[in-house]
PDB file of all heavy atoms in Angstrom:
ATOM      1  N   SER A 589     -19.105 -21.555-100.594  1.00 97.00           N
ATOM      2  CA  SER A 589     -18.979 -22.989-100.832  1.00 97.00           C
ATOM      3  C   SER A 589     -20.284 -23.587-101.348  1.00 97.00           C
ATOM      4  O   SER A 589     -20.287 -24.348-102.318  1.00 97.00           O
ATOM      5  CB  SER A 589     -18.549 -23.684 -99.541  1.00 97.00           C
ATOM      6  OG  SER A 589     -18.556 -25.076 -99.688  1.00 97.00           O
ATOM      7  N   ALA A 590     -21.383 -23.259-100.692  1.00 97.00           N
ATOM      8  CA  ALA A 590     -22.679 -23.809-101.075  1.00 97.00           C
ATOM      9  C   ALA A 590     -23.052 -23.400-102.499  1.00 97.00           C
ATOM     10  O   ALA A 590     -23.541 -24.224-103.279  1.00 97.00           O
ATOM     11  CB  ALA A 590     -23.758 -23.352-100.093  1.00 97.00           C
ATOM     12  N   VAL A 591     -22.820 -22.159-102.850  1.00 98.00           N
ATOM     13  CA  VAL A 591     -23.146 -21.685-104.201  1.00 98.00           C
ATOM     14  C   VAL A 591     -22.243 -22.371-105.229  1.00 98.00           C
ATOM     15  O   VAL A 591     -22.700 -22.794-106.286  1.00 98.00           O
ATOM     16  CB  VAL A 591     -23.049 -20.152-104.301  1.00 98.00           C
ATOM     17  CG1 VAL A 591     -23.242 -19.680-105.739  1.00 98.00           C
ATOM     18  CG2 VAL A 591     -24.071 -19.486-103.376  1.00 98.00           C
ATOM     19  N   ALA A 592     -20.975 -22.522-104.896  1.00 97.00           N
ATOM     20  CA  ALA A 592     -20.026 -23.140-105.826  1.00 97.00           C
ATOM     21  C   ALA A 592     -20.377 -24.597-106.123  1.00 97.00           C
ATOM     22  O   ALA A 592     -20.119 -25.083-107.223  1.00 97.00           O
ATOM     23  CB  ALA A 592     -18.605 -23.048-105.277  1.00 97.00           C
ATOM     24  N   CYS A 593     -20.975 -25.281-105.160  1.00 96.00           N
ATOM     25  CA  CYS A 593     -21.298 -26.695-105.395  1.00 96.00           C
ATOM     26  C   CYS A 593     -22.775 -26.921-105.715  1.00 96.00           C
ATOM     27  O   CYS A 593     -23.197 -28.053-105.895  1.00 96.00           O
ATOM     28  CB  CYS A 593     -20.842 -27.561-104.226  1.00 96.00           C
ATOM     29  SG  CYS A 593     -21.847 -27.418-102.751  1.00 96.00           S
ATOM     30  N   GLY A 594     -23.560 -25.859-105.796  1.00 94.00           N
ATOM     31  CA  GLY A 594     -24.956 -25.982-106.203  1.00 94.00           C
ATOM     32  C   GLY A 594     -25.909 -26.389-105.107  1.00 94.00           C
ATOM     33  O   GLY A 594     -27.034 -26.787-105.396  1.00 94.00           O
ATOM     34  N   ALA A 595     -25.489 -26.279-103.858  1.00 92.00           N
ATOM     35  CA  ALA A 595     -26.416 -26.575-102.754  1.00 92.00           C
ATOM     36  C   ALA A 595     -27.487 -25.498-102.718  1.00 92.00           C
ATOM     37  O   ALA A 595     -27.229 -24.341-103.031  1.00 92.00           O
ATOM     38  CB  ALA A 595     -25.657 -26.605-101.424  1.00 92.00           C
ATOM     39  N   SER A 596     -28.678 -25.901-102.374  1.00 93.00           N
ATOM     40  CA  SER A 596     -29.775 -24.940-102.270  1.00 93.00           C
ATOM     41  C   SER A 596     -30.507 -25.179-100.959  1.00 93.00           C
ATOM     42  O   SER A 596     -31.697 -25.459-100.927  1.00 93.00           O
ATOM     43  CB  SER A 596     -30.729 -25.073-103.465  1.00 93.00           C
ATOM     44  OG  SER A 596     -30.111 -24.644-104.656  1.00 93.00           O
ATOM     45  N   ASN A 597     -29.778 -25.041 -99.866  1.00 94.00           N
ATOM     46  CA  ASN A 597     -30.324 -25.325 -98.546  1.00 94.00           C
ATOM     47  C   ASN A 597     -31.171 -24.186 -97.986  1.00 94.00           C
ATOM     48  O   ASN A 597     -31.904 -24.383 -97.033  1.00 94.00           O
ATOM     49  CB  ASN A 597     -29.202 -25.635 -97.560  1.00 94.00           C
ATOM     50  CG  ASN A 597     -28.454 -26.883 -97.959  1.00 94.00           C
ATOM     51  OD1 ASN A 597     -29.058 -27.908 -98.255  1.00 94.00           O
ATOM     52  ND2 ASN A 597     -27.139 -26.806 -98.010  1.00 94.00           N
ATOM     53  N   ASN A 598     -31.029 -22.991 -98.552  1.00 96.00           N
ATOM     54  CA  ASN A 598     -31.842 -21.859 -98.149  1.00 96.00           C
ATOM     55  C   ASN A 598     -32.087 -20.993 -99.376  1.00 96.00           C
ATOM     56  O   ASN A 598     -31.568 -21.278-100.461  1.00 96.00           O
ATOM     57  CB  ASN A 598     -31.192 -21.064 -97.000  1.00 96.00           C
ATOM     58  CG  ASN A 598     -29.857 -20.467 -97.385  1.00 96.00           C
ATOM     59  OD1 ASN A 598     -29.707 -19.835 -98.442  1.00 96.00           O
ATOM     60  ND2 ASN A 598     -28.850 -20.645 -96.532  1.00 96.00           N
ATOM     61  N   LEU A 599     -32.869 -19.954 -99.226  1.00 97.00           N
ATOM     62  CA  LEU A 599     -33.261 -19.154-100.397  1.00 97.00           C
ATOM     63  C   LEU A 599     -32.098 -18.372-101.001  1.00 97.00           C
ATOM     64  O   LEU A 599     -32.063 -18.158-102.208  1.00 97.00           O
ATOM     65  CB  LEU A 599     -34.417 -18.218-100.037  1.00 97.00           C
ATOM     66  CG  LEU A 599     -35.102 -17.526-101.217  1.00 97.00           C
ATOM     67  CD1 LEU A 599     -35.641 -18.531-102.234  1.00 97.00           C
ATOM     68  CD2 LEU A 599     -36.218 -16.615-100.728  1.00 97.00           C
ATOM     69  N   ILE A 600     -31.129 -17.965-100.192  1.00 97.00           N
ATOM     70  CA  ILE A 600     -29.968 -17.271-100.760  1.00 97.00           C
ATOM     71  C   ILE A 600     -29.228 -18.193-101.713  1.00 97.00           C
ATOM     72  O   ILE A 600     -28.911 -17.818-102.849  1.00 97.00           O
ATOM     73  CB  ILE A 600     -29.028 -16.755 -99.648  1.00 97.00           C
ATOM     74  CG1 ILE A 600     -29.701 -15.636 -98.849  1.00 97.00           C
ATOM     75  CG2 ILE A 600     -27.696 -16.253-100.239  1.00 97.00           C
ATOM     76  CD1 ILE A 600     -28.934 -15.184 -97.621  1.00 97.00           C
ATOM     77  N   GLU A 601     -28.969 -19.402-101.259  1.00 97.00           N
ATOM     78  CA  GLU A 601     -28.256 -20.376-102.099  1.00 97.00           C
ATOM     79  C   GLU A 601     -29.075 -20.731-103.337  1.00 97.00           C
ATOM     80  O   GLU A 601     -28.528 -20.831-104.443  1.00 97.00           O
ATOM     81  CB  GLU A 601     -27.950 -21.627-101.287  1.00 97.00           C
ATOM     82  CG  GLU A 601     -26.986 -21.364-100.138  1.00 97.00           C
ATOM     83  CD  GLU A 601     -26.910 -22.519 -99.148  1.00 97.00           C
ATOM     84  OE1 GLU A 601     -27.449 -23.620 -99.432  1.00 97.00           O
ATOM     85  OE2 GLU A 601     -26.311 -22.318 -98.068  1.00 97.00           O
ATOM     86  N   ARG A 602     -30.377 -20.903-103.192  1.00 97.00           N
ATOM     87  CA  ARG A 602     -31.245 -21.222-104.338  1.00 97.00           C
ATOM     88  C   ARG A 602     -31.268 -20.068-105.332  1.00 97.00           C
ATOM     89  O   ARG A 602     -31.167 -20.271-106.538  1.00 97.00           O
ATOM     90  CB  ARG A 602     -32.666 -21.550-103.863  1.00 97.00           C
ATOM     91  CG  ARG A 602     -33.662 -21.745-104.983  1.00 97.00           C
ATOM     92  CD  ARG A 602     -33.306 -22.881-105.915  1.00 97.00           C
ATOM     93  NE  ARG A 602     -34.250 -22.918-107.045  1.00 97.00           N
ATOM     94  CZ  ARG A 602     -34.016 -23.526-108.181  1.00 97.00           C
ATOM     95  NH1 ARG A 602     -32.884 -24.196-108.370  1.00 97.00           N
ATOM     96  NH2 ARG A 602     -34.899 -23.490-109.151  1.00 97.00           N
ATOM     97  N   ALA A 603     -31.397 -18.846-104.838  1.00 97.00           N
ATOM     98  CA  ALA A 603     -31.435 -17.685-105.735  1.00 97.00           C
ATOM     99  C   ALA A 603     -30.121 -17.552-106.511  1.00 97.00           C
ATOM    100  O   ALA A 603     -30.125 -17.230-107.702  1.00 97.00           O
ATOM    101  CB  ALA A 603     -31.729 -16.414-104.952  1.00 97.00           C
ATOM    102  N   ALA A 604     -29.002 -17.826-105.854  1.00 97.00           N
ATOM    103  CA  ALA A 604     -27.711 -17.773-106.536  1.00 97.00           C
ATOM    104  C   ALA A 604     -27.618 -18.882-107.581  1.00 97.00           C
ATOM    105  O   ALA A 604     -27.105 -18.661-108.691  1.00 97.00           O
ATOM    106  CB  ALA A 604     -26.576 -17.884-105.531  1.00 97.00           C
ATOM    107  N   ASP A 605     -28.107 -20.068-107.254  1.00 97.00           N
ATOM    108  CA  ASP A 605     -28.136 -21.174-108.201  1.00 97.00           C
ATOM    109  C   ASP A 605     -28.964 -20.799-109.431  1.00 97.00           C
ATOM    110  O   ASP A 605     -28.578 -21.053-110.570  1.00 97.00           O
ATOM    111  CB  ASP A 605     -28.694 -22.422-107.511  1.00 97.00           C
ATOM    112  CG  ASP A 605     -28.668 -23.658-108.388  1.00 97.00           C
ATOM    113  OD1 ASP A 605     -27.628 -23.905-109.034  1.00 97.00           O
ATOM    114  OD2 ASP A 605     -29.679 -24.386-108.425  1.00 97.00           O
ATOM    115  N   VAL A 606     -30.116 -20.158-109.191  1.00 97.00           N
ATOM    116  CA  VAL A 606     -30.974 -19.711-110.290  1.00 97.00           C
ATOM    117  C   VAL A 606     -30.249 -18.673-111.133  1.00 97.00           C
ATOM    118  O   VAL A 606     -30.275 -18.731-112.371  1.00 97.00           O
ATOM    119  CB  VAL A 606     -32.313 -19.158-109.750  1.00 97.00           C
ATOM    120  CG1 VAL A 606     -33.092 -18.431-110.846  1.00 97.00           C
ATOM    121  CG2 VAL A 606     -33.147 -20.282-109.152  1.00 97.00           C
ATOM    122  N   ALA A 607     -29.583 -17.717-110.486  1.00 97.00           N
ATOM    123  CA  ALA A 607     -28.847 -16.687-111.242  1.00 97.00           C
ATOM    124  C   ALA A 607     -27.814 -17.330-112.150  1.00 97.00           C
ATOM    125  O   ALA A 607     -27.670 -16.941-113.315  1.00 97.00           O
ATOM    126  CB  ALA A 607     -28.191 -15.700-110.273  1.00 97.00           C
TER     127      ALA A 607
END
Side-chain angles (χ1 to χ4, degrees):
S589 174
V591 174
C593 74
S596 291
N597 297 312
N598 62 48
L599 191 57
I600 292 172
E601 295 167 11
R602 174 61 185 160
D605 184 45
V606 168

